[in-house]
Every structure is written in structure tokens, then in C-alpha cells.
Amino acid sequence: MAYKQSRQGGFPSPVTVLTTVTAALIAGVALGGVLHATGSLRSVAAVYGLNGIVNEWTLVFCHSFVAAGPFVAIVTRLGNSRSVPRPLAESYRNPFLCACVGLSYGVLLWLTVVAYGAPVVLGFVTGHAYPVPHHHSGSFFALLSFGAVLGAWFPLLRDFFTDQR
């Protein structure tokens, strides 16, 4: 099991890292695809003062990698805890249950980053008042799809890479 291997020495195992990176790439495509479909892809690069399709997709994948790490830590922790309900404990093995956890994670990301985090940080940096919470439906649906895709693919890829080893 990838988690027990990663507990040795405090570093994630190669299987855990490979699984996380691969699932983050797949979920990043979903995230960017929904942002593109809703016309919100430019807003990702605009937050950083950038423009251009290469910058937009590069930032989408960077955000995907950054967001995948905590998700994997949460799912792994839930899977090894004896004090959580059984469906949560089994989520690291079951693509459907993990996708449900991923949907919750997508909502949490949207609330902390888009709805409240970005307006507060941008208001502090620029000195302008931004509405809190910020209602951006394109990013909401994009983060929901990101979480669901990341959650669905993580257990499948973990099993695949563990079997290949």
C-alpha cells in the first residue's frame, strides 16, 4: 500500500507522488476545460497580471498540482483513521466515494480561494474594495469538476501504479 510506504522516513513514496502528479494532470485538464467552456480561463491569468493561452494553461496546471497535494493527504488520512465513518475511511479505495470527497474538496477550495480569499487578498494588495463573497459561477463549476475528477482518478491510478511496481 502506497501510504504505508510513505510513512517510512516522513516522505511520500514514489507511487504516491506519481499517482498525485498524474491525477493532478488529469484533473487540471478538467479544470481548464470547464474554465474555457464557461469563458473564465482568462480570469486565472488576469489575477496574476498575465495574458495568453500558454500562461492561462500553465497557471491552471500549477494550481492543480498545488491543490492535489492536500487532497491526497486528506484522503490518505481518512483511509487510515479509525474514528471516521466507514464510507470516508473507504474513500481512498473507491472511485465513487473518493469523487464525493473530491466534490466536497472542490466546494471548500471555491469558498476559501475564490469566494473569500481572492477578494480579501486583492483588496489588500490593490487598496480597492472587492465584494465578499465573490460569486464566480465559472470557477465554482470548474472546481467541482476538478475535485470530482481528482477524486475519481486517484484510487484508480494508485491501484494501477501499485500493481506495476
Side-chain angles (χ1 to χ4, degrees):
M1 177 184 287
Y3 180 75
K4 292 191 192 266
Q5 294 168 357
S6 67
R7 294 294 293 173
Q8 299 169 354
F11 295 101
S13 71
V15 170
T16 302
V17 172
L18 183 59
T19 301
T20 304
V21 168
T22 307
L25 281 172
I26 295 168
V29 170
L31 174 66
V34 173
L35 286 172
H36 178 73
T38 60
S40 302
L41 188 59
R42 289 186 177 166
S43 65
V44 175
V47 169
Y48 296 96
L50 302 171
N51 58 14
I53 194 76
V54 173
N55 290 330
E56 293 163 1
W57 278 99
T58 300
L59 288 169
V60 163
F61 285 117
C62 288
H63 290 151
S64 179
F65 291 133
V66 169
F71 175 78
V72 169
I74 290 167
V75 169
T76 305
R77 178 70 65 185
L78 289 173
N80 291 310
S81 178
R82 294 181 183 196
S83 61
V84 298
R86 186 174 175 99
L88 287 177
E90 292 296 320
S91 65
Y92 79 100
R93 292 184 198 163
N94 185 317
F96 175 75
L97 294 174
C98 200
C100 291
V101 173
L103 281 170
S104 300
Y105 185 67
V107 171
L108 179 68
L109 282 175
W110 185 80
L111 285 171
T112 58
V113 176
V114 178
Y116 291 97
V120 170
V121 170
L122 287 173
F124 180 74
V125 170
T126 63
H128 293 84
Y130 290 93
V132 176
H134 178 66
H135 298 286
H136 193 264
S137 60
S139 63
F140 179 72
F141 293 117
L143 287 171
L144 282 179
S145 67
F146 169 79
V149 169
L150 181 65
W153 278 96
F154 178 74
L156 296 171
L157 291 169
R158 185 184 52 81
D159 290 344
F160 174 76
F161 290 130
T162 300
D163 292 343
Q164 296 299 314
R165 203 154 193 233

